[in-house]
Amino acid sequence: GGAVILRAVRRRSRPIGGLIALSTYLPDPETAAAQRAPDGIRPPVFMAHGVQDPVIPQAIAAHTAQTLKDLGFPLEWHSYPMAHQVCAEELEALGDWLDARFRAA
């Protein structure tokens, strides 16, 4: 799900409040800039990943985060000592990020 959303948002021209990307990646980072809509939106992104994720290595997620930043997305990155899962600290940080989005609306 996260990979689909990260790929689709580059082509979106109508605004959204933000994206949550947990333990995911961008499937085609090499073509990301070329596939971006000229007037595409760049919503804020909360991205978190586990250091020990055996499904999607953290290096791939970190590369996604850098690609999104390079494309102009305001991105908040978090890394946690976990596998392909969620942890309490991650949920707390996500809650803080969501609170900030709702306050800004």
Side-chain angles (χ1 to χ4, degrees), residues 24-58:
T24 193
Y25 69 104
L26 184 61
D28 54 353
E30 298 78 22
T31 61
Q35 293 177 349
R36 186 178 66 203
D39 58 347
I41 60 159
R42 287 169 190 69
V45 178
F46 178 92
M47 193 166 183
H49 208 86
V51 174
Q52 298 127 359
D53 190 330
V55 179
I56 301 166
Q58 186 181 26

Side-chain angles (χ1 to χ4, degrees), residues 80-92:
Y80 299 98
M82 62 182 189
H84 194 76
Q85 62 195 70
V86 296
C87 65
E89 295 85 3
E90 179 182 30
L91 294 176
E92 183 176 337

Side-chain angles (χ1 to χ4, degrees), residues 7 10 25-36 59-60 63-64 66-68 70-71:
R7 189 165 191 234
R10 295 184 323 233
Y25 69 104
L26 184 61
D28 54 353
E30 298 78 22
T31 61
Q35 293 177 349
R36 186 178 66 203
I60 293 172
H63 181 65
T64 291
Q66 187 58 56
T67 299
L68 292 172
D70 292 347
L71 291 172

